[in-house]
Amino acid sequence: MTALRTPKQQRSIQTRKRIMDAAFHLYAKKGIHGTNSKEIVEKAGVAIGSFYSYFKNKKTLLLEMLEDYLDRHYLAIWKPVEDITINEMGRDDIKVLIESVFAAYDISPEFHRQTHALRYSDPDINRVYERERNREVTQIRSLLESNKSRMRVTDPEAAAVVIHNAVENVAHTATFIGSQIEKQRLIDQLSDMIFIFLLHGSRSA
Amino acid sequence: MTALRTPKQQRSIQTRKRIMDAAFHLYAKKGIHGTNSKEIVEKAGVAIGSFYSYFKNKKTLLLEMLEDYLDRHYLAIWKPVEDITINEMGRDDIKVLIESVFAAYDISPEFHRQTHALRYSDPDINRVYERERNREVTQIRSLLESNKSRMRVTDPEAAAVVIHNAVENVAHTATFIGSQIEKQRLIDQLSDMIFIFLLHGSRSA
Amino acid sequence: MTALRTPKQQRSIQTRKRIMDAAFHLYAKKGIHGTNSKEIVEKAGVAIGSFYSYFKNKKTLLLEMLEDYLDRHYLAIWKPVEDITINEMGRDDIKVLIESVFAAYDISPEFHRQTHALRYSDPDINRVYERERNREVTQIRSLLESNKSRMRVTDPEAAAVVIHNAVENVAHTATFIGSQIEKQRLIDQLSDMIFIFLLHGSRSA
Amino acid sequence: MTALRTPKQQRSIQTRKRIMDAAFHLYAKKGIHGTNSKEIVEKAGVAIGSFYSYFKNKKTLLLEMLEDYLDRHYLAIWKPVEDITINEMGRDDIKVLIESVFAAYDISPEFHRQTHALRYSDPDINRVYERERNREVTQIRSLLESNKSRMRVTDPEAAAVVIHNAVENVAHTATFIGSQIEKQRLIDQLSDMIFIFLLHGSRSA
DNA sequence: TATGAATGAGCTTTCATTCAT
DNA sequence: GATGAATGAAAGCTCATTCAT
């Protein structure tokens, strides 16, 4: 097996990026299974051989794209709320965070939908998503720990998982499936639920 | 196009069922994409031609199997909790309901996982799952309405969606992805969260 | 993996044979590596799918063809000389046998050449050829044993191998490589060499 | 088409040799078809572009390697027996010669096996092997002619071909295919057969 | 009504070779 | 002289579906 090309020249980096961009758009538009390698390279304007110089196979390309995407997704959620890691988390912070999540789902809903669908049938994809989930649950948990004294929850580890799942799936469903109910109403209920769950009866409640 | 056979005779019904059973086991074992029609008919002990007498195509078979499965899934959840539709829903009722959901996910996790994965890439599968979701959200909502007077939530429609999503995704993740945390701890936190969200401060709280 | 079609209907048997015949001619004409599966099915007048119903892959087809061919090759050599297994082997018997070998190489020289070439790089092909070689060496050896009393050779087991190799390679080279020397002269020298080696000085010499 | 570089400088010659050495080891280890040009240049530590400066294509490289190899093979056989070209060839000389042949096959059995396999499907490879065969048959024949007076064979031209084929194929099979019988027993029988064939009844017998 | 033979579009990947830098 | 990025033809195989028997 020949080693993959490691981009050294400027041209290399461009070609690589062009392939990834082309794939990204096609996957979002026609679905991952509905897009074959020929279409990708045609859209990218390169030869099929180049594809396989840069990526071991289609799967590898997808995993790399997914990692890139989830990094952006993660940042979109946590960048705007860096400040609330202190011990003053309040009702509004929760809402802002949830709104960030909803916004993050709008970066590239189709790509997210497509890859997420593969999660349950493809262990490699699942592994990447799990890494992401762990990052997020960890963040939530450390938020709970920072505000421990004001919290009513007794099992912050499990609580973090439950909260993460709730937010993720509401955003997920609202984004991918749609709903007769406007997103804002869901966000409001979700924020309320989580706030009450975590802080009700505390000083700041 | 020959009209599909509508099974009226005993033998017909049996053949049909044998195909569905064969497919069910193979899908769970080898995955839907990893199972081809020939394997199904071989396991079922019928000819490939018969398959296409009973089902328009593989997709039709899958949709029908999924409807059957989701009916069982639905009953497994709601049968055990028929009584709490009255206006006395309490902490324990919520927990029992959530435990029913977790149990329902264990009826046939692999088939569930396989089909759920297709939800976001296949509109027909999604439609069936949406029908199911609507049933469930409706049930939750009517539960909320029955206990309206004791509730603190102001938007029961959105609340029902949020609750449904939270429970579904926690059960989903616990079942399909696994978790370092035991199911019972998740169920406890989830019950607590929902109870507080719905009823905290009410008479019965 | 789906089981291969086992021919039950008349049509099946015909199709199978048509594929093998087409492959046989193409392999002889264009070389095994120079013939792709599409060409075979086109020549056979069947669809590519049929090919893979009857043969697991191209390799399997080749092995089956080779076994058939070597059976014919073996019979062509030994059928004409069935009678000399008795203890009267003489100069003429040896010559007749060698002539049978040369004739056997003319059944389908190109196919023989093509497959033999693969022997040293393909273990499966080699295995089939080895099975053939063992049959032939065994035959020679039992011939030597039947005439043991009149033989001068002390190690009939090794002698049988040496004789087989000599005859095979002379026929082989004469057939496939050609030679400036006419076959008959080679046959004469070969017969002489083997006769002298085995029987010189004996009563019948 | 750029003219091929004719190596005049020291560095050029070294690069050329490094490519040939790399190819030689890889061909022996992974097979000719199993080795691609990228692997060769990587092992040689040069760029793919350089490869095509020194060799018109992969085939040219192979032919050149084969010629080198067969020169070594030829010398290994005939160097040790230069003296017996005189008219005194005896039983032991034959044995020594045959042992040289067996030894020559052990110089690089894998490369020999690989290239020989191509002989019957590739005319260019065959041509190089034929050139070698002619050299060897000519040597044998001149040996026979030198000892003509003591020989019993009437057709030394055909006899030389027959002897060459016999020795070559026994060595070939023993080396590449293996055998239940030890090489020495084959050598003994072979020597005996050829000696009897050539000289039996002569003074020196 | 049942059978199973036949169909063929469709897709991934390899690798020798070229040529701009 | 040397590099390595880019090329693209070529080929094996799968599988849902049809339809003659």
Side-chain angles (χ1 to χ4, degrees), chain D residues 134-157:
Chain D
N134 284 332
R135 281 206 278 197
E136 295 179 11
V137 170
T138 302
Q139 279 280 17
I140 293 171
R141 199 181 157 192
S142 79
L143 219 52
L144 301 195
E145 301 286 1
S146 310
N147 291 273
K148 199 170 189 174
S149 56
R150 302 155 53 238
M151 291 280 154
R152 58 173 289 285
V153 288
T154 52
D155 184 349
E157 201 182 352

Side-chain angles (χ1 to χ4, degrees), chain C residues 5 9 11 15 47-50 54:
Chain C
R5 188 175 303 163
Q9 301 183 359
R11 191 162 43 135
T15 302
I48 184 69
S50 295
Y54 289 105

Side-chain angles (χ1 to χ4, degrees), chain B residues 9-66:
Chain B
Q9 300 180 359
Q10 193 56 29
R11 184 157 59 126
S12 268
I13 293 166
Q14 273 176 16
T15 302
R16 222 185 134 75
K17 189 163 178 345
R18 263 160 62 199
I19 293 169
M20 290 179 81
D21 286 349
F24 196 81
H25 287 119
L26 288 168
Y27 285 178
K29 187 164 131 204
K30 314 182 53 180
I32 292 172
H33 287 306
T35 305
N36 63 38
S37 20
K38 224 168 176 182
E39 289 173 293
I40 296 173
V41 296
E42 268 160 20
K43 174 140 191 165
V46 301
I48 184 71
S50 296
F51 182 103
Y52 285 91
S53 306
Y54 288 104
F55 301 97
K56 188 163 158 283
N57 52 35
K58 268 185 88 186
K59 178 74 161 292
T60 306
L61 165 67
L62 179 60
L63 290 171
E64 206 166 312
M65 288 167 67
L66 181 56

Side-chain angles (χ1 to χ4, degrees), chain D residues 13-25:
Chain D
I13 293 166
Q14 273 177 16
T15 303
R16 223 185 132 74
K17 190 165 177 341
R18 262 161 63 198
I19 292 170
M20 289 179 80
D21 286 349
F24 196 81
H25 287 120

